[in-house]
Amino acid sequence: MVKKKTCIFISGKGSNLRNLISRSRDNNFPIKISLVICNNMEAYGVNYAKKNKVPYIFVDAKKKNYENKILFNLKKHKISFICLAGYMKIISSRIIRNYKNKIINIHPSLLPKFKGLNTHLRAIKNNEKYSGCTVHYVNSKLDSGKIILQKKIKIKKNDTPLSLAKRILAEEHKLYPKAILKVFNL
């Protein structure tokens, strides 16, 4: 199997990155993590890139031409697929155009409900019975791309945003690799 050179975009702890690096070592998994892009100099997740000898770059999304740096590095590393894993910045339409139907994201809610931030708090305040996570294609509208897979979990009476987030993150680690396999028809 020829693995797709993949870039993971992160902003924080990087647990989905760590999980995908681990899964990518499997000969039957269709991606090879070839680059990590991070927009947060304090992100712990970069340590997983360092530890696994995956090239990484920091981008300052406040700088005018940060997209040029991203696109340059994606081309330099021959990236053909992108996974967003807790990347807390909206992907520009220019990058989306260059990687049409080649960017996926994992979101901590059952889309189309609770797009954007603070999903766990919003689900609890809305007295939802269920929450979960969604892997979807990225398009120009926030958290609105075609859904690939979802995992639903019951919200417990005593759940806090933190306890719900922990349980959903555990499901994300299972769902993201399954969604990647589905994208590549495996």
Side-chain angles (χ1 to χ4, degrees):
M1 171 188 293
V2 176
K3 293 182 174 251
K4 296 284 184 190
K5 289 188 175 191
T6 299
C7 178
I8 312 291
F9 283 52
I10 66 167
S11 293
K13 293 178 188 158
S15 68
N16 273 305
L17 168 64
R18 180 187 68 216
N19 184 50
L20 291 176
I21 288 172
S22 175
R23 288 300 306 271
S24 70
R25 291 189 182 123
D26 179 343
N27 289 336
N28 297 318
F29 201 67
I31 66 170
K32 176 186 189 306
I33 312 302
S34 301
L35 181 64
V36 171
I37 291 179
C38 183
N39 69 327
N40 174 7
M41 296 287 279
E42 307 292 314
Y44 184 82
V46 171
N47 291 315
Y48 299 122
K50 290 177 187 174
K51 184 178 171 188
N52 290 283
K53 297 177 177 46
V54 176
Y56 63 92
I57 62 161
F58 289 103
V59 293
D60 183 349
K62 293 180 186 107
K63 290 202 171 162
K64 196 172 187 175
N65 292 323
Y66 80 97
E67 297 174 317
N68 293 341
K69 183 176 182 181
I70 290 173
L71 286 167
F72 172 81
N73 279 281
L74 292 173
K75 285 179 178 50
K76 176 181 166 187
H77 291 274
K78 298 179 171 65
I79 299 300
S80 61
F81 191 66
I82 296 170
C83 295
L84 308 182
Y87 186 64
M88 304 306 284
K89 178 78 180 132
I90 293 173
I91 298 293
S92 73
S93 58
R94 185 166 160 222
I95 293 169
I96 292 168
R97 271 194 314 276
N98 276 270
Y99 285 87
K100 188 172 171 60
N101 298 320
K102 304 258 189 279
I103 306 172
I104 64 173
N105 180 44
I106 188 145
H107 182 75
S109 80
L110 294 172
L111 292 174
K113 284 190 173 183
F114 308 115
K115 297 174 183 180
L117 302 174
N118 303 312
T119 57
H120 310 304
L121 175 66
R122 289 161 53 207
I124 290 169
K125 278 190 170 181
N126 206 46
N127 295 313
E128 296 290 326
K129 287 184 173 38
Y130 295 95
S131 189
C133 50
T134 304
V135 179
H136 65 94
Y137 285 98
V138 173
N139 64 17
S140 58
K141 292 185 181 147
L142 180 68
D143 296 328
S144 297
K146 181 180 171 204
I147 292 171
I148 300 163
L149 284 178
Q150 290 185 309
K151 174 63 178 175
K152 181 164 75 169
I153 67 166
K154 191 162 180 45
I155 297 176
K156 297 176 180 175
K157 285 194 190 316
N158 62 345
D159 260 329
T160 65
L162 187 60
S163 67
L164 184 58
K166 273 180 137 172
R167 290 192 306 114
I168 288 175
L169 186 60
E171 296 302 328
E172 287 181 24
H173 294 161
K174 297 175 204 167
L175 190 69
Y176 217 168
K178 285 181 187 172
I180 290 168
L181 290 169
K182 185 175 178 184
V183 165
F184 292 102
N185 299 311
L186 296 173

